[in-house]
């Protein structure tokens, strides 16, 4: 391939929401033996050939975030041993987690003591000034991570370079970490004046929400939700509330969502609990430039999706919080998401031509209803919204391996009606039904599930059947979104963040429409590459200054909160 093989590590300070402040950089050219031990005041010019050198890192997005702050070009080729260790161990146990020390332990390699590593990280994060002894100690620590990464590379090499295809897949995953660094560097613009007012009045907001909402339920005691009061409320109203194995009532969000479908009068309580239980405004990571930044935690889930902190990421907590996303003056943001991504993937990987046609027709849920004879051929989303929503729930139930009892609960129908809908779906799309069974059988026989680009799942007797059903489609969706991120950032688009199956884009108001078209092209291209010429389209919603981001699901709560603090 040409170029040097550079093992690289950096140390930096990065308070929540901030871009990193470089402290030092260490590197080792494995081809010539040349080494670099550079303090922050020596990081003037990039000493590497970022076009041709191959970089070996552990969690490379951290290193590339330093490159971005320094104004250095990002390397084109990288192998990230964090990502590859995640891939190798995905679905199985690890000795000491997925950090560098854990990866070293997995291969029987020694390392610095965890307590010593934490001590040095704490010292670095506490910031300057560093005296001469501390400077030497920090450089030695950084170099020890370089040396450890080089040892880990040698131990992992059989897993990385077993074939040119595997090597190329490693480079593709490393390529995504460059896109991650760019998106974390950009961040999401936030309406700081409104957020500050909410933070200052948060206790008043909580009291106001409880006072106004709990009068219909009587389940709060001061600021606290009381299970015993809720149990009394449930018994009084005769609700058949689901319980846990312990006999206690299930109080998770999904159970509340399901029960609200049966009893819409509970929706106010559900929103109140969700807002109070998951919303800690002080946790949202905001930088000094008024932008939300947090680790995207790439490849963290078993399906290789990002898993940013649900409390630090503005898209993590309650939906109404997204209204605080606001472009600056002269700027605009766009939310671009794949249309029917998971069902489109299901159609493609199963080779079900009927399902493919329905996905490409634009509304696979209504198309299913027509195939099943549940609506007339001229039905639209507007003319038959209830049936369409039920078909959407049925489609998702099939994809997630949901049992008829759960589907019945979510639809507010009988179990026999839910069974009938699931049967109709399999009759409408027999190839997809066959693929689901064969996919599950292969996994249960011990064959390793693997995506097109090499992400794998280690299975064992404890792996849940639903995991085996969901994993191929969701993992393929992850690869599609990653490739779209790579294409978009490499083409100069300002991507603020990935959100499940969508991307948040930012640009000047006069340029946003063109940038949206470019991003949609990137998303279509990514879907075509991942699915083998079956292309998924992307929808977009644009919000230009002075507008905020808008999501109908959180509009009522956001408006209500603004009224509580007179905004």
């Amino acid at each position: 391939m040409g170029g040097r093989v550079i093992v690289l590590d950096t140390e930096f300070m990065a308070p929540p929401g901030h871009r990193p402040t470089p402290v030092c950089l260490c590197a080792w050219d494995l081809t010539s033996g040349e080494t670099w031990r550079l303090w922050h005041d020596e990081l003037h010019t990039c000493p590497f050939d970022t076009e041709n050198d191959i970089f070996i890192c552990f969690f490379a997005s951290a290193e590339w975030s330093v490159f971005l702050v320094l104004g250095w070009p990002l390397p084109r080729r990288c192998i990230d041993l964090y990502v590859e260790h995640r891939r190798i161990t995905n679905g199985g146990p690890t000795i000491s987690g997925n950090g560098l020390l854990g990866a070293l332990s997995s291969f029987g390699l020694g390392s610095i003591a965890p307590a010593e590593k934490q001590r040095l990280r704490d010292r670095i994060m506490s910031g300057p000034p560093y005296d001469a002894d501390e400077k030497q100690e920090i450089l030695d620590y950084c170099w020890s991570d370089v040396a450890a990464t080089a040892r880990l590379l040698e131990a992992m090499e059989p897993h990385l370079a077993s074939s040119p295809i595997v090597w190329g897949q490693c480079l593709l995953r490393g390529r995504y970490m460059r896109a991650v660094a760019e998106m974390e560097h950009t961040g999401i613009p936030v309406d700081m004046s409104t957020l500050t007012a909410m933070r200052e009045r948060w206790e008043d907001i909580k009291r106001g929400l409880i006072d106004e909402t709990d009068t219909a339920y009587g389940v709060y005691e001061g600021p606290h939700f009381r299970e015993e009061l809720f149990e009394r409320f449930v018994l009084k109203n005769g609700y058949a509330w689901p319980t846990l194995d312990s006999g206690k009532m299930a109080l998770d969000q999904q159970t509340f969502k399901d029960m609200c479908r049966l009893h819409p009068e509970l929706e106010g309580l559900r929103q109140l609990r969700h807002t109070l239980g998951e919303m800690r405004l002080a946790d949202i990571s905001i930088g000094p430039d008024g932008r939300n930044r947090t680790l995207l935690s790439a490849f963290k889930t078993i399906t290789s999706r990002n898993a940013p902190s649900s409390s630090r990421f503005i898209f993590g907590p309650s939906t109404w919080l997204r209204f605080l996303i606001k472009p600056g003056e002269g700027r605009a943001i766009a939310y671009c998401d794949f249309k029917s991504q998971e069902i489109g993937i299901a159609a493609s990987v199963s080779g079900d031509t009927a399902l493919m046609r329905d996905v490409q027709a634009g509304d696979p849920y209504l198309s299913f209803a027509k195939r099943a004879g549940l609506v007339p051929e001229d039905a639209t989303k507007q003319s038959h919204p209830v049936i369409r929503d039920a078909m959407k729930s049925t489609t998702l139930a099939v994809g997630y391996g949901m049992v008829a009892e759960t589907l019945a609960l979510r639809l507010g129908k009988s179990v026999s009606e839910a069974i009938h809908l699931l049967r109709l779906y399999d009759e409408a799309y027999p190839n997809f039904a066959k693929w689901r069974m064969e996919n599950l059988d292969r996994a249960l026989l011990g064959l390793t599930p693997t995506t097109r680009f090499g992400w794998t799942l280690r299975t064992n007797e404890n792996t849940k059947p639903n995991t085996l059903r969901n994993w191929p489609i969701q993992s393929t969706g992850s690869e599609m979104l990653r490739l779209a991120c790579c294409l978009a950032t490499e083409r100069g688009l300002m991507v603020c963040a990935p959100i499940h199956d969508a991307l948040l884009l930012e640009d000047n108001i006069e340029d946003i429409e063109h940038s949206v078209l470019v991003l949609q092209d990137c998303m279509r291209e990514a879907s075509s590459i991942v699915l083998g010429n079956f292309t998924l389209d992307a929808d977009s919603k644009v919000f230009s200054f002075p507008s905020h981001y808008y999501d109908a699901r959180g509009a009522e709560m956001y408006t209500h909160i603004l009224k509580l603090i007179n905004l």
Side-chain angles (χ1 to χ4, degrees), residues 149-299:
T149 302
R151 296 199 309 275
L152 183 60
L153 172 65
E154 184 177 7
M156 292 180 66
E157 191 169 2
H159 298 276
L160 308 179
S162 57
S163 73
I165 291 176
V166 172
W167 183 253
Q169 291 170 343
C170 294
L171 288 170
L172 179 59
R173 287 185 287 270
R175 175 182 171 189
Y176 177 62
M177 298 303 273
R178 181 174 68 178
V180 168
E182 293 202 47
M183 292 184 291
E184 291 177 350
H185 184 82
T186 298
I188 301 170
V190 173
D191 179 354
M192 287 304 298
S193 61
T194 303
L195 175 59
T196 300
M198 287 182 176
R199 282 175 165 171
E200 291 173 350
R201 301 282 305 280
W202 185 234
E203 291 304 316
D204 295 336
I205 291 171
K206 288 196 294 185
R207 281 193 295 270
L209 290 174
I210 292 170
D211 289 345
E212 292 186 10
T213 305
D214 192 46
T215 53
Y217 309 103
V219 298
Y220 275 82
E221 192 175 85
H224 304 293
F225 176 86
R226 298 298 186 192
E227 269 190 63
E228 61 273 17
L229 294 178
F230 182 65
E231 185 172 1
R232 197 178 303 163
F233 170 80
V234 167
L235 291 172
K236 177 183 176 182
N237 288 275
Y239 299 141
W241 199 272
T243 58
L244 305 173
D245 292 340
S246 64
K248 290 188 174 184
M249 290 185 298
L251 298 174
D252 59 280
Q253 274 295 314
Q254 190 57 61
T255 297
F256 262 89
K257 284 183 180 180
D258 293 341
M259 294 302 291
C260 284
R261 290 188 178 95
L262 296 176
H263 308 287
E265 67 273 15
L266 293 172
E267 181 61 24
L269 179 58
R270 186 193 72 80
Q271 289 199 28
L272 176 64
R273 290 190 74 245
H274 186 57
T275 297
L276 299 184
E278 296 193 12
M279 186 64 264
R280 295 181 297 276
L281 287 175
D283 289 349
I284 301 297
S285 297
I286 307 292
D289 56 354
R291 301 180 80 90
N292 172 228
R293 294 187 186 85
T294 189
L295 283 179
L296 293 174
S297 297
F299 297 94

Side-chain angles (χ1 to χ4, degrees), residues 58-90:
F58 196 93
F59 211 80
S61 56
E63 322 316 332
W64 306 155
S65 69
V66 171
F67 275 47
L68 287 168
V69 167
L70 293 170
W72 293 0
L74 295 184
R76 189 170 63 88
R77 296 186 294 177
C78 168
I79 301 293
D80 191 324
L81 299 189
Y82 160 77
V83 175
E84 299 312 317
H85 178 256
R86 278 285 302 116
R87 175 180 64 87
I88 294 166
T89 61
N90 187 43

Side-chain angles (χ1 to χ4, degrees), residues 196-498:
T196 300
M198 287 182 176
R199 282 175 165 171
E200 291 173 350
R201 301 282 305 280
W202 185 234
E203 291 304 316
D204 295 336
I205 291 171
K206 288 196 294 185
R207 281 193 295 270
L209 290 174
I210 292 170
D211 289 345
E212 292 186 10
T213 305
D214 192 46
T215 53
Y217 309 103
V219 298
Y220 275 82
E221 192 175 85
H224 304 293
F225 176 86
R226 298 298 186 192
E227 269 190 63
E228 61 273 17
L229 294 178
F230 182 65
E231 185 172 1
R232 197 178 303 163
F233 170 80
V234 167
L235 291 172
K236 177 183 176 182
N237 288 275
Y239 299 141
W241 199 272
T243 58
L244 305 173
D245 292 340
S246 64
K248 290 188 174 184
M249 290 185 298
L251 298 174
D252 59 280
Q253 274 295 314
Q254 190 57 61
T255 297
F256 262 89
K257 284 183 180 180
D258 293 341
M259 294 302 291
C260 284
R261 290 188 178 95
L262 296 176
H263 308 287
E265 67 273 15
L266 293 172
E267 181 61 24
L269 179 58
R270 186 193 72 80
Q271 289 199 28
L272 176 64
R273 290 190 74 245
H274 186 57
T275 297
L276 299 184
E278 296 193 12
M279 186 64 264
R280 295 181 297 276
L281 287 175
D283 289 349
I284 301 297
S285 297
I286 307 292
D289 56 354
R291 301 180 80 90
N292 172 228
R293 294 187 186 85
T294 189
L295 283 179
L296 293 174
S297 297
F299 297 94
K300 189 172 183 179
T301 74
I302 63 168
T303 60
S304 72
R305 286 199 184 278
N306 306 301
S309 166
S310 60
S311 61
R312 293 182 179 274
F313 189 47
I314 202 162
F315 278 92
S318 302
T319 308
W320 67 263
L321 190 72
R322 301 173 190 182
F323 282 73
L324 291 172
I325 300 171
K326 182 181 179 181
E329 187 171 355
R331 305 285 286 174
I333 53 174
Y335 182 89
C336 300
D337 63 320
F338 283 107
K339 294 177 66 174
S340 307
Q341 187 197 52
E342 290 191 1
I343 192 62
I345 292 169
S348 176
V349 298
S350 66
D352 194 306
T353 54
L355 190 52
M356 289 184 194
R357 285 196 296 271
D358 287 351
V359 169
Q360 291 188 320
D363 191 336
Y365 314 119
L366 198 59
S367 294
F368 163 48
K370 293 176 182 179
R371 283 185 184 274
L374 300 175
V375 297
E377 282 299 317
D378 61 352
T380 65
K381 183 177 180 179
Q382 290 71 33
S383 66
H384 291 76
V386 176
I387 293 179
R388 181 191 177 274
D389 286 348
M391 297 309 99
K392 182 175 182 179
S393 295
T394 303
T395 299
L396 296 176
V398 171
Y400 288 114
M402 190 182 296
V403 296
E405 289 79 5
T406 305
L407 177 60
L409 179 64
R410 297 195 177 178
L411 293 177
K413 295 181 178 293
S414 68
V415 174
S416 61
E417 288 176 301
I419 291 173
H420 179 62
L421 284 174
L422 293 173
R423 185 180 299 121
L424 286 175
Y425 200 89
D426 285 348
E427 290 172 355
Y429 309 113
N431 285 346
F432 181 37
K434 180 183 177 183
W435 175 84
R436 294 199 317 274
M437 292 303 300
E438 290 177 348
N439 173 67
L440 182 59
D441 289 344
R442 284 193 298 269
L444 292 174
L445 287 171
L447 300 177
T448 302
T450 305
T451 62
R452 182 182 183 91
F453 293 130
W455 188 256
T456 58
L457 176 67
R458 294 174 62 187
T459 62
N460 53 54
E461 65 277 6
N462 296 319
T463 306
K464 297 178 180 178
N466 270 359
T467 298
L468 299 174
R469 291 188 183 98
N470 303 339
W471 188 87
I473 292 174
Q474 293 192 23
S475 297
T476 299
S478 302
E479 291 189 332
M480 189 185 299
L481 189 71
R482 285 199 296 272
L483 184 54
C485 290
C486 292
L487 295 173
T489 54
E490 289 163 10
R491 291 172 188 175
L493 295 181
M494 190 175 182
V495 182
C496 300

